[in-house]
Amino acid sequence: MDTELKKKLAGRLKEYRLDEKVSIMEVCGTHTTEFFRTGVKDLFPENLRLVDGPGCPVCVTPNDYLDRAIEIGKLGAVIATFGDMIKVPSSYSSLGEEKAKGMRVEVVYSPVDAMALAEKHPDLEVVFLSVGFETTAPGEASAVLEAKERNLKNFSILPGNKLTAPAVKALLDAGEARIDGFIIPGHVSAITGADVWEFAAKDYGKPCVVAGFEDYDLITGTLALLDLIRKGDARLVNGYTRVVRPGGNPRAREIMFEVFRPADAEWRGIGTIPGSGLAVRDAYAEFDASRRFRVTPPEPREHPGCRCGELLRGLIVPTDCPLFGKACMPERPVGPCMVSTEGPCAAYYKYGR
């Protein structure tokens, strides 16, 4: 990107005139971090407010998912997980605490790594924590297909994947937060196609811009969204055409829905959203850890004072929480929004204080 053009666009954003307050929501957790890390949020004009949405998969995963994973681990299974799940508090513990007590918890970078672990240790049950949105679900589905083809009997996944658009619809139906427009996830849209977000513009009158993650993408995406809001033009614009193509990635969706089917799912702070989760189809039940291991986790509970739920609904920003930066810090988090690299509290703590 030409440096002078970038400076010109940055200046336009900084000098953008808003006669009244405007609230825009970035749905993606990576957008949350990048707005801060790149300094683009510092360019926001007066009266522009950025609120966080339910776009961090670790953050929206309810406590009872981790409670169940821990109970499965107590049966002797190896819990394979992405690193940011280790410190997330469950109702009564965390994977990190349980690992310190002797539970076998392994950090992996993909479900393929978990499969390799299962192959290396055929005497052990390996359970991969399948948490993520449409971006990662096709890869996890591919792992299940490969495990079935290779007859890998000691590998399974604990399904916790979610679909993003139903969550945004649930927020709009609730009408709790003021949202004048949306910055739409680029990587999710690369799989789903941008058209899955049309409902927000057509049915709810909310302008939407699909944006990438470079500073240029964030500046141009925000400018495009502000122009739409100013004009009262409720439509969807794809500002990330170099990655998001019409129709998305049909092959990735085909693989995803070969293994998974839409199901109702619990979202932290929002509740149960119909058709927003991905459950393992019966044809692949042998790779579904929730059916393979019959455990009864204790009654889930929330941690006193944690306001992650309100944050994920766009009702507050992290600094509104009295625990932020005091009782809740990255080294001793109270809620998941301070743990994940895509968590809004983590972004505010690292870049925004």
Side-chain angles (χ1 to χ4, degrees):
M1 180 64 195
D2 181 79
T3 302
E4 289 304 313
L5 178 56
K6 191 185 294 186
K7 286 181 180 179
K8 184 178 179 180
L9 290 167
R12 185 184 165 214
L13 177 59
K14 195 169 186 177
E15 299 301 322
Y16 203 100
R17 181 176 175 81
L18 293 171
D19 296 327
E20 57 183 27
K21 291 183 178 180
V22 171
S23 291
I24 61 174
M25 174 177 280
E26 28 76 13
V27 181
C28 176
T30 304
H31 277 150
T32 305
T33 301
E34 291 305 300
F35 266 112
F36 278 100
R37 191 190 66 78
T38 59
V40 171
K41 191 172 184 298
D42 294 334
L43 301 174
F44 277 15
E46 188 178 357
N47 287 335
L48 178 58
R49 181 171 183 258
L50 181 71
V51 294
D52 309 299
C56 164
V58 171
C59 303
V60 300
T61 299
N63 284 348
D64 62 357
Y65 178 88
L66 272 175
D67 297 340
R68 183 171 297 276
I70 287 171
E71 292 303 309
I72 291 173
K74 288 178 179 178
L75 295 179
V78 178
I79 303 299
T81 178
F82 296 132
D84 53 2
M85 292 292 285
I86 294 288
K87 291 175 67 175
V88 176
S90 66
S91 295
Y92 304 94
S93 183
S94 72
L95 289 173
E97 289 180 36
E98 295 303 320
K99 181 179 175 68
K101 296 175 186 175
M103 183 180 292
R104 185 79 182 270
V105 179
E106 297 289 340
V107 173
V108 295
Y109 295 97
S110 74
V112 174
D113 291 343
M115 290 175 58
L117 189 64
E119 279 194 314
K120 186 176 180 180
H121 301 282
D123 56 321
L124 296 175
E125 290 282 351
V126 176
V127 177
F128 175 73
L129 302 190
S130 185
V131 172
F133 295 141
E134 294 92 336
T135 316
T136 59
E140 286 143 0
S142 293
V144 170
L145 292 173
E146 187 173 346
K148 187 176 181 70
E149 183 178 332
R150 289 156 59 177
N151 198 29
L152 198 57
K153 297 292 188 181
N154 62 325
F155 170 79
S156 59
I157 66 171
L158 186 62
N161 298 82
K162 291 179 169 59
L163 304 173
T164 47
V168 170
K169 184 177 186 304
L171 293 184
L172 290 170
D173 285 339
E176 293 179 288
R178 175 177 175 173
I179 306 170
D180 296 304
F182 290 95
I183 297 289
I184 296 298
H187 292 157
V188 165
S189 300
I191 303 297
T192 65
D195 58 324
V196 301
W197 303 100
E198 287 279 5
F199 72 91
K202 289 183 177 179
D203 301 337
Y204 296 89
K206 305 296 183 184
C208 301
V209 175
V210 180
F213 303 92
E214 303 294 330
D215 50 3
Y216 164 76
D217 296 311
L218 298 175
I219 293 170
T220 56
T222 303
L223 285 170
L225 184 57
L226 290 178
D227 286 344
L228 292 173
I229 293 170
R230 172 182 277 178
K231 296 173 185 175
D233 187 1
R235 60 189 173 96
L236 170 70
V237 172
N238 180 9
Y240 198 29
T241 53
R242 67 184 187 275
V243 172
V244 179
R245 298 177 175 84
N249 188 328
R251 179 56 180 156
R253 295 197 303 276
E254 180 185 346
I255 292 170
M256 179 168 69
F257 288 115
E258 165 68 21
V259 173
F260 296 115
R261 60 174 178 81
D264 298 350
E266 183 78 14
W267 293 63
R268 183 184 301 275
I270 302 175
T272 299
I273 303 176
S276 66
L278 290 174
V280 176
R281 293 186 182 275
D282 290 344
Y284 301 95
E286 64 189 293
F287 301 102
D288 183 352
S290 65
R291 288 189 261 188
R292 192 164 180 163
F293 301 93
R294 299 295 182 176
V295 295
T296 305
E299 188 68 22
R301 68 174 185 181
E302 297 300 325
H303 297 278
C306 178
R307 300 183 70 183
C308 279
E310 295 167 81
L311 177 58
L312 297 168
R313 302 201 305 275
L315 300 178
I316 64 170
V317 295
T319 49
D320 292 329
C321 178
L323 304 184
F324 176 81
K326 298 170 186 173
C328 184
M329 300 173 71
E331 57 269 24
R332 43 180 173 81
V334 176
C337 296
M338 186 60 89
V339 180
S340 174
T341 55
E342 296 182 344
C345 292
Y348 270 69
Y349 187 90
K350 186 172 183 179
Y351 300 111
R353 289 186 297 158

